[in-house]
Amino acid sequence: MTDALKRLSDEGVAIWLDDLSRKRITSGNLAELIDQSHVVGVTTNPAIFQKAISGGEGYEQQLTDLATRKVTVDEALRMITTADVRDAADILRPVYDRTDGQDGRVSIEVDPRLAHDTAATIAEAKQLAWLVDRPNTLIKIPATKAGLPAITEVIGKGISVNVTLIFSLERYREVMDAYLAGLEKAKAAGLDLSLIHSVASFFVSRVDTEIDKRLDAVGTDEAKALKGKAALANARLAYEAYEEVFSSDRWAALERVGANKQRALWASTGVKDPAYKDTLYVDDLVAPNTVNTMPEATLEATADHGQITGDTVRGTYEQARAELDAVAKLGISYDDVVQLLEDEGVEKFEASWNDLLKSTEAELQRLAPTEA
């Protein structure tokens, strides 16, 4: 084992775990990762809960109680997922207190079926914040067009938000604008801005997966030489946008009254192509005041052989632009790729949620008490 995780943390990258299950909570594994692996936060999504709850371990008693109460499958699912998030938030509470609320956070996502419904997303976010009832929760709202005004409204009510499924640089700028607008609403309402936090989850590996596929279709040596470069270039240019927005006069006015910067969070950092080093999206995305949320395999790989050599983002912007320009010159449309990825991201989370509803419903029926 190396001390790569400590070095990463020392460089200003908050290490969050992209996974949660009841077994991870009750076995002491989450507490151990916090204690030994520099983990300071947890992210969840519908796919993670689908895997955890379908696995079944630790959920039977609660499912039995819910079946006995004859609750709906939607209510059962929210009771189960918010219980896990609440317990994880309690485990992470010392980190939250130690970092003045910046870390020690657990994220929970609004129902992905609401991704294109602004009003329903706002209502769901408020309900989730109330259900979990922990100050170190982040409510995940997707960065769809309908999600943007929801972000502003929810931040404006003093609820901390993790904006998810960001793929494009233009949409990322819209997300930061939505956050600042929300802070301005919160300020006008007399809320304490120092208590509001946010991260913007910029997805990484899926960009390479889609663009590499298109580069393979082009098939030239020039195209093959660009494989594995687009995702890093895209993320690095996102950090450039972050630096620009959070050095603006508009931001300075909010910072003076206690506002917190919305950190860039690198999501989807598990490497999909075995030809690439398994710590690619960790080693090459080191920058101050960022978050990297990792599946456990990536966390373990980084601990074992990660190469943390300091800041690998600032100073790369010109090269990053050149790499994305080179991809575009081969006829691969950036706008088409990022829109496809956003649409697929919403669809995949919705499919996972629907699968979870079906498997939970089956368990409720199996455990329901027989009529006397």
Side-chain angles (χ1 to χ4, degrees), residues 187-202:
K187 179 185 173 187
L191 299 182
D192 182 351
L193 301 194
S194 70
L195 300 179
I196 303 171
H197 286 260
S198 183
V199 293
S201 295
F202 201 87

Side-chain angles (χ1 to χ4, degrees), residues 348-370:
K348 285 175 182 175
F349 280 170
E350 189 172 334
S352 293
W353 195 252
N354 285 332
D355 287 346
L356 184 50
L357 285 167
K358 287 174 191 169
S359 60
T360 303
E361 185 171 35
E363 282 297 284
L364 290 172
Q365 289 172 353
R366 182 179 72 83
L367 295 166
T370 51

Side-chain angles (χ1 to χ4, degrees), residues 22 58-69 71 75-84 86 364 367:
R22 191 152 299 176
Y59 295 99
E60 182 120 340
Q61 184 58 59
Q62 188 178 11
L63 280 163
T64 301
D65 291 345
L66 291 165
T68 303
R69 288 175 50 214
V71 304
E75 184 183 353
L77 204 44
R78 276 311 182 202
M79 292 298 102
I80 293 166
T81 56
T82 54
D84 280 359
R86 189 181 307 113
L364 290 172
L367 295 166

Side-chain angles (χ1 to χ4, degrees), residues 79-126:
M79 292 298 102
I80 293 166
T81 56
T82 54
D84 280 359
V85 168
R86 189 181 307 113
D87 288 345
D90 288 344
I91 293 168
L92 278 154
R93 182 59 189 260
V95 178
Y96 170 84
D97 291 336
R98 188 176 74 242
T99 61
D100 292 326
Q102 177 159 268
D103 287 308
R105 296 273 175 177
V106 186
S107 298
I108 185 169
E109 190 138 356
V110 297
D111 186 330
R113 296 171 296 179
L114 308 178
H116 302 295
D117 185 332
T118 302
T121 294
I122 294 166
E124 170 96 344
K126 289 159 60 180

Side-chain angles (χ1 to χ4, degrees), residues 200-221:
S201 295
F202 201 87
F203 278 54
V204 185
S205 66
R206 294 185 197 181
V207 174
D208 271 343
T209 301
E210 182 60 32
I211 289 183
D212 283 0
K213 183 171 69 177
R214 299 185 187 207
L215 290 168
D216 280 336
V218 174
T220 63
D221 289 344

